[in-house]
Amino acid sequence: MKRLGINIDSETFRLAFTHRSYSYENGGIPTNERLEFLGDSILGFCVAEYLYATFPLLPEGDLAKRRAAIVSTRALAMIARDLEVGEHLLLGRGEAQSNGSNKSSILADTMEAILGATYLVQGMEAARSFVLRFVTPLLEDPRLLGATTDWKTVIQEEVASQKLGEMHYQVTGSGPDHARTYLAELLIGDKVFGDGHGPSKKEAEQEAAHKTWLMLHPGEQLPKG
């Protein structure tokens, strides 16, 4: 994948994209799970190092929250989708048929495996460069501000406290079963507020709740998650 901008031999590259479901159907060949384990540790360190150097006045608690947001499954899956990582995954038939190539957990794990592979083949500086290029820019991404916040709970509590009326989600799905996407609309009373899209109902509803918070608080800074 040229978009990754990394130089990895074909064998290691293939390993980084081999999901356990593919291994089960192909004689138990090695999977990307060990690379994922390695990449997870490297990712945490590189992000912590970056935050420590970039925000010298932030207390430990705020640094931890920012790190949690940008090493989250949601953040890594966003990067993977932007890079079209799912198109290169080696999945078992069942996982492929259930839209595994777009599942956030699988995409996030694969990103960690790619980082682990980068470290093994090219060393720490290349791994750090990978993180700085793809991961740390998410600190400025509005889709991830407050990413560790449960927006559905936040909105539910706010609507109740302000007595804004009854609220509910209206969710519709579209597309074939193996590539299903969902649209969620959050209604307060009869009025539609935020809407959200995602590969699962939960993710679509979270985005709808997040957008509703923004509508109810125009011009305000998002709370740290």
Side-chain angles (χ1 to χ4, degrees), residues 19 38 56 66 114 118 122 138 140 162 197 215 217 220:
H19 188 256
L38 181 61
R66 293 191 184 211
I114 293 169
T118 301
Q122 293 189 291
L138 292 179
E140 306 300 327
Q162 295 190 30
H197 298 80
M215 294 177 69
H217 299 267
E220 290 188 28

Side-chain angles (χ1 to χ4, degrees), residues 4 10 41 110 206 209 224:
L4 286 172
S10 59
S41 296
T110 304
Q206 281 286 347
K224 296 181 178 68

Side-chain angles (χ1 to χ4, degrees), residues 37-131:
F37 167 80
L38 181 61
D40 176 67
S41 296
I42 295 166
L43 176 64
F45 170 76
C46 288
V47 170
E49 179 185 53
Y50 172 83
L51 292 172
Y52 184 87
T54 306
F55 303 100
L57 300 180
L58 277 186
E60 182 273 339
D62 288 340
L63 291 173
K65 289 177 181 178
R66 293 191 184 211
R67 180 181 59 186
I70 62 175
V71 303
S72 67
T73 295
R74 180 183 176 193
L76 295 177
M78 281 170 49
I79 299 170
R81 291 189 181 102
D82 288 343
L83 294 172
E84 299 178 344
V85 165
E87 296 182 9
H88 303 271
L89 282 168
L90 296 176
L91 301 170
R93 287 187 297 273
E95 197 65 72
Q97 291 171 359
S98 64
N99 198 25
S101 63
N102 195 38
K103 287 183 180 177
S104 294
S105 59
I106 292 178
L107 290 173
D109 290 346
T110 304
M111 287 302 300
E112 291 178 340
I114 293 169
L115 178 57
T118 301
Y119 169 78
L120 282 182
V121 175
Q122 293 189 291
M124 190 63 191
E125 285 308 311
R128 182 182 285 109
S129 175
F130 182 95
V131 172

